[in-house]
Amino acid sequence: MTQVHVDKASSPRPPAQRRRELIAFLVLAFGIWPILAVGVVGGYGFLVWMWQIIFGPPGPPSGGFH
């Protein structure tokens, strides 16, 4: 009779671990990353807004042609 070597990496994961990984993925994909993305974009918009309040809006310098 032949002996079959089973590698731990190829064996299926227990259902409890698979469920925890699925929950972690869902929390990251639909919870943390969207909130982080909105925060980054909102923070950048706030930074540009403050910059324009202090230094003025973009465009040609006021004064025009002489």
Side-chain angles (χ1 to χ4, degrees):
M1 198 153 79
T2 61
Q3 201 172 21
V4 177
H5 181 283
V6 177
D7 189 13
K8 282 191 169 216
S10 66
S11 65
R13 283 183 242 121
Q17 180 182 359
R18 187 173 173 142
R19 186 169 189 268
R20 279 195 315 264
E21 289 177 1
L22 180 62
I23 290 171
F25 169 75
L26 292 173
V27 167
L28 284 170
F30 299 105
I32 294 173
W33 287 118
I35 291 170
L36 186 65
V38 168
V40 167
V41 172
Y44 178 73
F46 182 78
L47 181 70
V48 169
W49 181 47
M50 284 292 120
W51 181 268
Q52 289 181 358
I53 286 176
I54 294 169
F55 295 105
S62 60
F65 293 103
H66 288 169

Coordinates of all heavy atoms in Angstrom, one line a residue:
M1 N 0.8 -1.2 0.0 CA 0.0 0.0 0.0 C 0.9 1.2 0.0 O 1.9 1.3 0.7 CB -0.9 0.0 1.3 CG -2.0 0.9 1.1 SD -3.5 0.4 2.1 CE -3.1 0.9 3.7
T2 N 0.5 2.3 -0.7 CA 1.3 3.5 -0.8 C 0.8 4.5 0.2 O -0.4 4.6 0.6 CB 1.2 4.1 -2.2 OG1 -0.2 4.5 -2.5 CG2 1.7 3.2 -3.3
Q3 N 1.7 5.3 0.7 CA 1.4 6.3 1.7 C 1.3 7.7 1.0 O 2.2 8.0 0.2 CB 2.5 6.3 2.7 CG 2.1 6.9 4.0 CD 3.1 6.8 5.1 OE1 4.3 6.5 4.8 NE2 2.7 6.8 6.3
V4 N 0.3 8.4 1.2 CA 0.1 9.7 0.6 C 0.4 10.8 1.6 O -0.1 10.8 2.8 CB -1.4 9.9 0.2 CG1 -1.6 11.3 -0.4 CG2 -1.8 8.8 -0.8
H5 N 1.3 11.7 1.2 CA 1.7 12.8 2.1 C 0.7 14.0 1.8 O 0.6 14.5 0.7 CB 3.1 13.2 1.8 CG 3.6 14.4 2.6 ND1 3.3 15.7 2.4 CD2 4.5 14.3 3.7 CE1 3.9 16.4 3.3 NE2 4.6 15.6 4.1
V6 N 0.1 14.5 2.9 CA -0.8 15.6 2.8 C -0.1 16.8 3.4 O 0.3 16.8 4.5 CB -2.1 15.3 3.6 CG1 -3.1 16.5 3.5 CG2 -2.8 14.1 3.0
D7 N 0.0 17.8 2.5 CA 0.6 19.1 3.0 C -0.5 19.9 3.7 O -1.6 20.0 3.2 CB 1.2 19.8 1.7 CG 2.0 21.0 2.1 OD1 2.4 21.1 3.3 OD2 2.3 21.8 1.2
K8 N -0.1 20.6 4.8 CA -1.0 21.4 5.5 C -1.5 22.6 4.7 O -2.6 23.1 4.8 CB -0.4 22.0 6.8 CG -0.4 20.9 7.9 CD 0.0 21.6 9.2 CE -0.3 20.7 10.3 NZ -0.7 21.3 11.5
A9 N -0.7 23.2 3.8 CA -1.0 24.3 3.0 C -2.1 24.0 2.0 O -3.0 24.8 1.6 CB 0.2 24.9 2.2
S10 N -2.2 22.7 1.5 CA -3.2 22.3 0.5 C -4.5 21.8 1.2 O -5.5 21.6 0.5 CB -2.6 21.3 -0.4 OG -2.4 20.1 0.3
S11 N -4.5 21.6 2.5 CA -5.7 21.1 3.1 C -6.7 22.2 3.3 O -6.3 23.4 3.5 CB -5.3 20.5 4.5 OG -4.9 21.5 5.3
P12 N -8.0 21.9 3.2 CA -9.0 23.0 3.3 C -9.0 23.6 4.8 O -8.7 22.9 5.7 CB -10.3 22.3 3.0 CG -10.0 20.9 3.3 CD -8.6 20.6 3.0
R13 N -9.3 24.9 4.8 CA -9.3 25.6 6.1 C -10.5 25.2 6.9 O -11.6 24.9 6.3 CB -9.3 27.1 5.9 CG -7.9 27.6 5.5 CD -8.0 29.1 5.4 NE -7.6 29.4 4.0 CZ -8.4 30.0 3.1 NH1 -9.6 30.5 3.5 NH2 -8.0 30.2 1.9
P14 N -10.4 25.2 8.2 CA -11.6 24.9 9.0 C -12.7 26.0 8.8 O -12.4 27.2 8.5 CB -11.1 24.9 10.4 CG -9.8 25.5 10.4 CD -9.3 25.4 9.0
P15 N -14.0 25.7 8.9 CA -15.0 26.7 8.6 C -15.0 27.9 9.5 O -15.3 29.0 9.1 CB -16.3 25.9 8.9 CG -15.9 24.4 8.8 CD -14.5 24.4 9.1
A16 N -14.6 27.8 10.7 CA -14.5 28.9 11.6 C -13.5 29.9 11.1 O -13.7 31.1 11.2 CB -14.1 28.5 13.1
Q17 N -12.3 29.5 10.7 CA -11.3 30.4 10.2 C -11.8 31.0 8.9 O -11.6 32.2 8.7 CB -10.0 29.7 10.0 CG -8.9 30.6 9.5 CD -7.6 29.8 9.2 OE1 -7.5 28.6 9.4 NE2 -6.6 30.5 8.7
R18 N -12.4 30.3 8.0 CA -12.9 30.8 6.8 C -13.9 31.9 7.0 O -14.0 32.9 6.4 CB -13.5 29.7 5.9 CG -13.8 30.1 4.6 CD -14.2 28.9 3.7 NE -14.7 29.5 2.5 CZ -14.5 28.9 1.3 NH1 -13.8 27.8 1.2 NH2 -15.0 29.5 0.2
R19 N -14.8 31.7 8.0 CA -15.8 32.6 8.4 C -15.2 33.9 8.9 O -15.6 35.0 8.5 CB -16.8 32.0 9.4 CG -18.0 32.9 9.7 CD -19.0 32.1 10.5 NE -20.2 32.9 10.7 CZ -20.5 33.7 11.7 NH1 -19.6 33.9 12.6 NH2 -21.6 34.4 11.7
R20 N -14.2 33.8 9.8 CA -13.5 35.0 10.3 C -12.9 35.8 9.2 O -12.9 37.0 9.2 CB -12.5 34.6 11.3 CG -13.0 34.3 12.7 CD -11.9 34.2 13.7 NE -10.8 33.5 13.3 CZ -10.5 32.2 13.6 NH1 -11.4 31.5 14.4 NH2 -9.4 31.6 13.2
E21 N -12.2 35.1 8.2 CA -11.6 35.8 7.1 C -12.6 36.5 6.2 O -12.4 37.6 5.8 CB -10.8 34.8 6.3 CG -9.5 34.3 7.0 CD -8.8 33.3 6.1 OE1 -9.2 32.9 5.0 OE2 -7.7 32.8 6.6
L22 N -13.8 35.9 6.0 CA -14.8 36.5 5.2 C -15.3 37.7 5.9 O -15.5 38.8 5.3 CB -16.0 35.5 5.0 CG -17.1 36.0 4.2 CD1 -16.7 36.4 2.8 CD2 -18.2 35.0 4.1
I23 N -15.6 37.7 7.2 CA -16.0 38.8 8.0 C -15.0 39.9 8.0 O -15.3 41.1 7.8 CB -16.4 38.4 9.4 CG1 -17.7 37.6 9.4 CG2 -16.6 39.7 10.3 CD1 -18.0 36.9 10.7
A24 N -13.7 39.6 8.1 CA -12.7 40.6 8.1 C -12.6 41.3 6.7 O -12.5 42.5 6.6 CB -11.3 40.0 8.4
F25 N -12.8 40.5 5.6 CA -12.8 41.0 4.3 C -13.9 42.0 4.1 O -13.8 43.1 3.6 CB -12.8 39.9 3.2 CG -13.1 40.4 1.9 CD1 -12.1 41.1 1.1 CD2 -14.4 40.3 1.3 CE1 -12.4 41.6 -0.1 CE2 -14.6 40.8 0.0 CZ -13.6 41.4 -0.7
L26 N -15.1 41.6 4.6 CA -16.3 42.4 4.4 C -16.2 43.7 5.2 O -16.6 44.8 4.7 CB -17.6 41.7 4.8 CG -17.9 40.5 3.9 CD1 -19.1 39.7 4.5 CD2 -18.3 41.0 2.5
V27 N -15.6 43.7 6.4 CA -15.5 44.9 7.2 C -14.5 45.8 6.5 O -14.7 47.0 6.4 CB -15.0 44.5 8.6 CG1 -14.5 45.7 9.4 CG2 -16.1 43.9 9.4
L28 N -13.4 45.3 6.0 CA -12.4 46.1 5.3 C -13.0 46.7 4.0 O -12.9 47.9 3.7 CB -11.1 45.3 5.0 CG -10.2 45.1 6.1 CD1 -9.1 44.1 5.7 CD2 -9.6 46.3 6.6
A29 N -13.6 45.8 3.2 CA -14.0 46.2 1.8 C -15.2 47.2 1.9 O -15.3 48.1 1.0 CB -14.4 45.0 1.0
F30 N -16.1 47.0 2.8 CA -17.3 47.9 2.8 C -17.4 48.8 4.0 O -18.4 49.5 4.2 CB -18.6 47.0 2.8 CG -18.6 46.2 1.5 CD1 -18.3 44.8 1.5 CD2 -18.9 46.8 0.3 CE1 -18.4 44.1 0.4 CE2 -18.9 46.0 -0.9 CZ -18.7 44.7 -0.9
G31 N -16.4 48.8 4.9 CA -16.5 49.6 6.1 C -15.3 50.6 6.2 O -15.4 51.8 6.0
I32 N -14.1 50.0 6.4 CA -13.0 50.8 6.7 C -12.4 51.5 5.5 O -12.2 52.8 5.5 CB -11.9 50.0 7.4 CG1 -12.4 49.5 8.7 CG2 -10.6 50.7 7.5 CD1 -11.5 48.5 9.4
W33 N -12.3 50.8 4.4 CA -11.7 51.5 3.2 C -12.6 52.6 2.6 O -12.0 53.7 2.2 CB -11.3 50.5 2.1 CG -10.1 49.7 2.5 CD1 -10.0 48.3 2.7 CD2 -8.8 50.2 2.8 NE1 -8.8 48.0 3.1 CE2 -8.0 49.1 3.2 CE3 -8.2 51.5 2.7 CZ2 -6.6 49.2 3.5 CZ3 -6.9 51.6 3.1 CH2 -6.1 50.5 3.4
P34 N -13.9 52.4 2.5 CA -14.7 53.6 2.0 C -14.6 54.8 2.9 O -14.5 55.9 2.5 CB -16.1 53.0 2.0 CG -15.9 51.5 1.8 CD -14.7 51.2 2.5
I35 N -14.6 54.6 4.2 CA -14.5 55.7 5.2 C -13.2 56.4 5.1 O -13.1 57.6 5.0 CB -14.8 55.2 6.6 CG1 -16.2 54.8 6.8 CG2 -14.4 56.2 7.7 CD1 -16.5 54.1 8.1
L36 N -12.1 55.6 4.9 CA -10.8 56.1 4.7 C -10.7 56.9 3.4 O -10.1 58.0 3.4 CB -9.8 55.0 4.8 CG -8.3 55.4 4.8 CD1 -8.0 56.2 6.0 CD2 -7.4 54.2 4.7
A37 N -11.3 56.4 2.4 CA -11.2 57.1 1.1 C -12.0 58.4 1.1 O -11.5 59.4 0.6 CB -11.8 56.2 0.0
V38 N -13.1 58.5 1.8 CA -13.9 59.7 1.9 C -13.1 60.7 2.8 O -13.1 61.9 2.5 CB -15.3 59.4 2.5 CG1 -16.0 60.7 2.9 CG2 -16.1 58.7 1.5
G39 N -12.5 60.2 3.8 CA -11.7 61.1 4.7 C -10.5 61.7 3.9 O -10.2 62.9 4.1
V40 N -9.8 60.9 3.1 CA -8.6 61.4 2.3 C -9.1 62.4 1.3 O -8.5 63.5 1.2 CB -7.9 60.2 1.7 CG1 -6.9 60.8 0.6 CG2 -7.2 59.4 2.7
V41 N -10.1 62.2 0.6 CA -10.6 63.1 -0.4 C -11.2 64.4 0.2 O -10.9 65.5 -0.2 CB -11.7 62.5 -1.3 CG1 -12.3 63.5 -2.3 CG2 -11.1 61.3 -2.2
G42 N -11.9 64.2 1.3 CA -12.4 65.4 2.0 C -11.3 66.2 2.6 O -11.3 67.4 2.6
G43 N -10.3 65.5 3.2 CA -9.1 66.2 3.7 C -8.4 67.0 2.7 O -7.9 68.2 2.9
Y44 N -8.2 66.4 1.5 CA -7.6 67.2 0.4 C -8.4 68.4 0.0 O -7.8 69.4 -0.3 CB -7.3 66.2 -0.8 CG -6.7 66.9 -2.0 CD1 -5.4 67.3 -1.9 CD2 -7.4 67.2 -3.1 CE1 -4.8 67.9 -3.0 CE2 -6.9 67.8 -4.2 CZ -5.5 68.2 -4.1 OH -5.0 68.8 -5.2
G45 N -9.7 68.2 -0.1 CA -10.6 69.3 -0.5 C -10.5 70.4 0.5 O -10.5 71.6 0.2
F46 N -10.5 70.1 1.8 CA -10.3 71.1 2.8 C -9.0 71.8 2.7 O -8.9 73.0 2.9 CB -10.5 70.4 4.2 CG -10.4 71.4 5.4 CD1 -11.5 72.2 5.7 CD2 -9.3 71.5 6.1 CE1 -11.5 73.1 6.7 CE2 -9.2 72.4 7.2 CZ -10.3 73.2 7.5
L47 N -7.9 71.1 2.5 CA -6.6 71.7 2.3 C -6.6 72.7 1.2 O -6.1 73.8 1.3 CB -5.6 70.6 2.1 CG -4.1 71.0 2.0 CD1 -3.6 71.5 3.3 CD2 -3.3 69.9 1.5
V48 N -7.2 72.3 0.0 CA -7.2 73.2 -1.1 C -8.1 74.4 -0.8 O -7.7 75.6 -1.1 CB -7.8 72.5 -2.4 CG1 -8.1 73.4 -3.5 CG2 -6.8 71.4 -2.9
W49 N -9.2 74.3 -0.1 CA -10.0 75.4 0.3 C -9.3 76.4 1.2 O -9.4 77.6 1.0 CB -11.3 74.8 1.0 CG -12.3 75.8 1.4 CD1 -12.8 76.8 0.7 CD2 -12.9 75.8 2.7 NE1 -13.7 77.5 1.4 CE2 -13.8 76.9 2.7 CE3 -12.8 75.0 3.8 CZ2 -14.6 77.3 3.8 CZ3 -13.6 75.4 4.9 CH2 -14.5 76.5 4.9
M50 N -8.6 75.8 2.2 CA -7.9 76.7 3.1 C -6.7 77.4 2.3 O -6.5 78.6 2.6 CB -7.3 75.9 4.3 CG -8.3 75.5 5.3 SD -8.8 77.0 6.2 CE -10.6 76.9 5.8
W51 N -6.1 76.7 1.4 CA -5.0 77.3 0.6 C -5.5 78.5 -0.2 O -4.9 79.5 -0.3 CB -4.4 76.2 -0.3 CG -3.2 76.8 -1.1 CD1 -3.3 77.3 -2.4 CD2 -1.9 76.8 -0.8 NE1 -2.1 77.6 -2.8 CE2 -1.2 77.4 -1.9 CE3 -1.2 76.5 0.3 CZ2 0.2 77.6 -1.9 CZ3 0.2 76.7 0.4 CH2 0.9 77.2 -0.7
Q52 N -6.7 78.3 -0.8 CA -7.3 79.4 -1.6 C -7.8 80.5 -0.7 O -7.8 81.7 -1.2 CB -8.4 78.8 -2.5 CG -7.9 77.9 -3.6 CD -8.9 77.4 -4.5 OE1 -10.1 77.6 -4.3 NE2 -8.5 76.6 -5.5
I53 N -8.2 80.3 0.5 CA -8.6 81.4 1.4 C -7.4 82.2 1.7 O -7.5 83.5 1.7 CB -9.3 80.8 2.6 CG1 -10.7 80.3 2.3 CG2 -9.3 81.9 3.7 CD1 -11.4 79.7 3.4
I54 N -6.3 81.6 1.9 CA -5.1 82.3 2.3 C -4.4 83.0 1.1 O -4.0 84.2 1.2 CB -4.1 81.4 3.1 CG1 -4.7 80.9 4.4 CG2 -2.8 82.1 3.3 CD1 -4.0 79.8 5.1
F55 N -4.2 82.3 0.0 CA -3.4 82.8 -1.1 C -4.2 83.2 -2.3 O -3.7 83.6 -3.3 CB -2.4 81.7 -1.5 CG -1.4 81.4 -0.5 CD1 -1.4 80.2 0.3 CD2 -0.3 82.3 -0.2 CE1 -0.5 80.0 1.3 CE2 0.6 82.1 0.8 CZ 0.5 80.9 1.5
G56 N -5.5 83.1 -2.2 CA -6.4 83.5 -3.3 C -6.6 82.3 -4.3 O -5.9 81.4 -4.4
P57 N -7.6 82.5 -5.2 CA -8.0 81.5 -6.1 C -6.9 81.4 -7.3 O -6.2 82.4 -7.5 CB -9.3 81.9 -6.7 CG -9.4 83.4 -6.4 CD -8.6 83.6 -5.2
P58 N -6.9 80.3 -8.0 CA -5.9 80.2 -9.1 C -6.4 81.1 -10.2 O -7.5 81.4 -10.4 CB -5.9 78.8 -9.5 CG -7.3 78.3 -9.0 CD -7.6 79.1 -7.8
G59 N -5.4 81.5 -11.1 CA -5.8 82.3 -12.2 C -4.7 83.4 -12.5 O -3.7 83.4 -11.8
P60 N -4.9 84.2 -13.5 CA -3.9 85.2 -13.7 C -3.8 86.2 -12.6 O -4.8 86.4 -11.9 CB -4.4 85.9 -15.0 CG -5.8 85.6 -15.1 CD -6.0 84.3 -14.4
P61 N -2.7 86.9 -12.4 CA -2.6 87.9 -11.4 C -3.6 89.0 -11.6 O -3.9 89.4 -12.8 CB -1.2 88.4 -11.4 CG -0.5 87.7 -12.6 CD -1.5 86.7 -13.1
S62 N -4.1 89.6 -10.6 CA -5.0 90.8 -10.7 C -4.2 92.0 -11.2 O -3.1 92.2 -10.7 CB -5.8 91.0 -9.4 OG -4.8 91.4 -8.4
G63 N -4.7 92.7 -12.1 CA -4.0 93.9 -12.6 C -4.1 93.9 -14.1 O -4.2 95.0 -14.7
G64 N -4.1 92.8 -14.7 CA -4.3 92.7 -16.2 C -3.2 93.3 -17.0 O -2.1 93.5 -16.5
F65 N -3.5 93.7 -18.2 CA -2.4 94.3 -19.1 C -2.4 95.8 -19.0 O -3.4 96.4 -18.7 CB -2.8 93.9 -20.6 CG -2.7 92.5 -20.9 CD1 -3.8 91.7 -21.0 CD2 -1.4 91.9 -21.1 CE1 -3.7 90.3 -21.2 CE2 -1.4 90.5 -21.3 CZ -2.5 89.8 -21.4
H66 N -1.2 96.4 -19.2 CA -1.0 97.8 -19.1 C -0.7 98.3 -20.4 O 0.0 98.1 -21.2 CB 0.1 98.2 -18.1 CG -0.4 98.0 -16.7 ND1 0.5 98.1 -15.7 CD2 -1.5 97.7 -16.2 CE1 -0.1 97.8 -14.5 NE2 -1.4 97.6 -14.8

